[in-house]
Amino acid sequence: MKLKTIDNYNFLEKKALVRVDFNVPLNSDFEVSDSTRIKAAIPTINKILSDGGSVILMSHLGRPKEGPTEKYSLKHTIKTISDLLNRPVKFASDCIGTIAKDASDTLAPGEVLLLENLRFHKEEEKGDINFANELASLGDVYVNDAFGTAHRAHASTAVIAQFFKGKSMFGYVMASELLNAEKVLNNAQRPFTAIMGGAKVSDKILLIEKLMEKVDHLIIGGGMAYTFIKAQGGNIGSSLCEAEKLELALEILSRAAANNVTIHLPVDSVNADKFDKDAKTNTTAINNIADGWMGLDIGLKTVDIFTKIIAESKTILWNGPMGVFEMSKFENGTKKVAESIVAATKKGAFSLIGGGDSAAAINQFHFTNEVSYVSTGGGALLEYIEGKELPGLKMVIDAGLEG
Ligand code: AMP
């Protein structure tokens, strides 16, 4: 896939309307507590500015339901953006109407304007065409750099592109996300190992089915593993289990065998007497957990098995933690898997981390720069790998870039 990106365009004296994903976490003082997504968009902004253009940034933040809400205001991100760009950032307290229009009209080349949260208007998520048209009136060209929302047909991510026929393109975040996803989807070196974890099998079914056509090894850990163990007749105590997915789990196991995919399930489990950071713990075979105990992490024998598979892999896709890594008593499995991925990457493997909480886990263990790529888009990455069409991709490609 050859995408038209901002590298194909000269922004001299143009106002670029750039959809970014600044949906960042804020602490209780409304300060940005993780600026990864803002940092990711900086090269795109700088390219436009260095061409002699101006930048109008639009994003959502959180899920406001009642219109403008203080805690979801994008004004809390101004300082972080400004520090990272090393220049002032103007702010429009509404993303449409006269406030936004005046701010855009007076924007000079080299300047950056941030619009208030798009989701303060319910029309954004509805993909309302008139709202998209109003946004479109603010800029000369449209840049989509919000991979995290590319799977949504919202006004600013997809619908808007039709107002920029011949003037729509992708930013660097979007381009590198897609390039890295392609590396695992269509250019994977073998052996290819997918590591799946997280809470539920039901969230990951489509992904597992798709990966079954691609991978050599499928490692399954985290809460979802217990449904597979139960399906095979194991005793899993009060571990997470999706009773209605037991048959499906067996079907996945037999389909894997038919596809020559080796599924690796945990053999031992670190269990807790309650879901609590101070719980009592024990380690047992994963199919022999006593009543009243719940498995919250993979055990050391499992870590050994998973580590060996990962060490031999040339392509690694990791989605979802191996246990409740947010509690230190149950972080070991996730940490060791992360360490194994880092070691394999050092030996030349390509590792893509994304979706669910695995990106958060990689950050927690400070390995972000030691894997090949950490995706900024959870749901969007998964839908892309599942083979679904992303509206934020399709509608921008359809609108196209000329000249
Ligand atoms: P996901 O968003 O599907 O990747 O799920 C991530 C969540 O799954 C994290 O918050 C983990 O704490 C949780 N999780 C992982 N393993 C377990 C487990 N064995 N039991 C309960 N929750 C788990």
Side-chain angles (χ1 to χ4, degrees):
M1 186 182 14
K2 188 86 187 76
L3 293 178
K4 293 278 189 172
T5 73
I6 51 174
D7 278 338
N8 302 98
Y9 195 77
N10 185 340
F11 291 88
L12 182 65
E13 293 185 355
K14 297 289 184 205
K15 282 180 188 148
L17 190 56
V18 187
R19 178 51 159 104
V20 286
D21 180 4
F22 285 176
N23 183 25
V24 289
L26 302 177
N27 65 20
S28 53
D29 293 325
F30 297 133
E31 291 158 346
V32 175
S33 55
D34 179 352
S35 59
T36 309
R37 287 178 166 166
I38 298 180
K39 272 191 195 131
I42 297 300
T44 294
I45 301 170
N46 277 333
K47 144 77 182 164
I48 297 166
L49 295 176
S50 66
D51 274 2
S54 55
V55 175
I56 302 172
L57 298 168
M58 51 180 183
S59 178
H60 73 286
L61 176 63
R63 298 187 166 183
K65 290 282 167 253
E66 309 287 321
T69 318
E70 172 72 10
K71 72 172 179 174
Y72 296 123
S73 173
L74 273 166
K75 73 179 180 208
H76 305 306
T77 65
I78 296 173
K79 182 172 179 332
T80 307
I81 307 168
S82 172
D83 288 350
L84 287 166
L85 284 173
N86 214 0
R87 67 174 76 218
V89 170
K90 295 184 164 181
F91 183 67
S93 59
D94 196 353
C95 62
I96 54 166
T98 50
I99 292 175
K101 195 79 184 111
D102 289 350
S104 159
D105 285 347
T106 53
L107 198 67
E111 289 189 327
V112 178
L113 168 68
L114 173 69
L115 303 179
E116 182 55 290
N117 195 341
L118 294 158
R119 290 194 188 168
F120 285 173
H121 295 267
K122 58 183 182 329
E123 291 84 356
E124 160 66 359
E125 287 179 87
K126 287 188 174 154
D128 184 275
I129 193 156
N130 297 320
F131 178 72
N133 196 4
E134 269 210 68
L135 290 172
S137 72
L138 302 175
D140 301 315
V141 293
Y142 172 64
V143 177
N144 189 340
D145 210 18
F147 183 69
T149 46
H151 56 320
R152 308 276 181 233
H154 292 172
S156 70
T157 59
V159 178
I160 193 171
Q162 65 198 273
F163 299 108
F164 292 101
K165 288 240 160 65
K167 294 182 205 162
S168 294
M169 65 203 106
F170 298 101
Y172 294 136
V173 173
M174 197 79 161
S176 63
E177 289 278 356
L178 294 169
L179 184 78
N180 283 293
E182 280 299 308
K183 280 190 196 164
V184 301
L185 270 181
N186 295 322
N187 294 303
Q189 304 246 19
R190 297 190 171 272
F192 178 4
T193 299
I195 307 161
M196 307 283 299
K200 288 185 173 169
V201 185
S202 48
D203 291 345
K204 313 275 164 101
I205 294 298
L206 284 174
L207 188 63
I208 293 177
E209 286 179 348
K210 189 75 190 175
L211 289 173
M212 206 86 91
E213 300 160 12
K214 309 257 176 200
V215 302
D216 303 296
H217 298 280
L218 183 56
I219 289 177
I220 297 180
M224 62 192 281
Y226 298 90
T227 298
F228 286 86
I229 302 299
K230 171 96 175 170
Q232 292 174 311
N235 296 320
I236 59 164
S238 45
S239 307
L240 271 188
C241 178
E242 287 169 273
E244 71 291 357
K245 295 288 181 266
L246 293 171
E247 254 174 56
L248 183 69
L250 290 179
E251 208 182 296
I252 289 172
L253 294 174
S254 64
R255 190 135 27 106
N259 277 10
N260 273 334
V261 175
T262 316
I263 292 200
H264 305 271
L265 286 162
V267 295
D268 57 351
S269 169
V270 178
N271 312 313
D273 64 343
K274 56 184 171 190
F275 191 85
D276 190 281
K277 67 176 180 27
D278 300 318
K280 280 198 208 116
T281 65
N282 67 22
T283 301
T284 62
I286 197 164
N287 57 5
N288 197 20
I289 301 174
D291 288 349
W293 290 74
M294 61 185 82
L296 297 186
D297 195 8
I298 55 174
L300 295 178
K301 287 185 188 146
T302 305
V303 165
D304 265 356
I305 297 168
F306 288 3
T307 299
K308 287 199 180 88
I309 306 293
I310 294 167
E312 287 162 11
S313 303
K314 290 275 185 299
T315 304
I316 300 160
L317 171 67
W318 184 25
N319 169 268
M322 295 292 102
V324 183
F325 72 102
E326 299 93 334
M327 299 182 196
S328 61
K329 282 189 174 177
F330 311 108
E331 70 170 17
N332 185 59
T334 304
K335 192 171 187 179
K336 288 287 184 280
V337 161
E339 283 170 2
S340 311
I341 297 172
V342 167
T345 311
K346 285 208 174 90
K347 278 191 353 199
F350 176 79
S351 51
L352 174 62
I353 319 298
D357 273 348
S358 33
I362 278 281
N363 278 339
Q364 180 173 316
F365 304 131
H366 306 291
F367 289 142
T368 310
N369 296 322
E370 296 182 62
V371 293
S372 306
Y373 194 73
V374 181
S375 173
T376 57
L381 177 72
L382 300 190
E383 290 199 14
Y384 188 69
I385 293 176
E386 285 164 8
K388 292 189 187 145
E389 189 174 79
L390 308 185
L393 194 59
K394 180 174 189 307
M395 294 176 92
V396 177
I397 292 172
D398 287 353
L401 179 65
E402 281 155 18

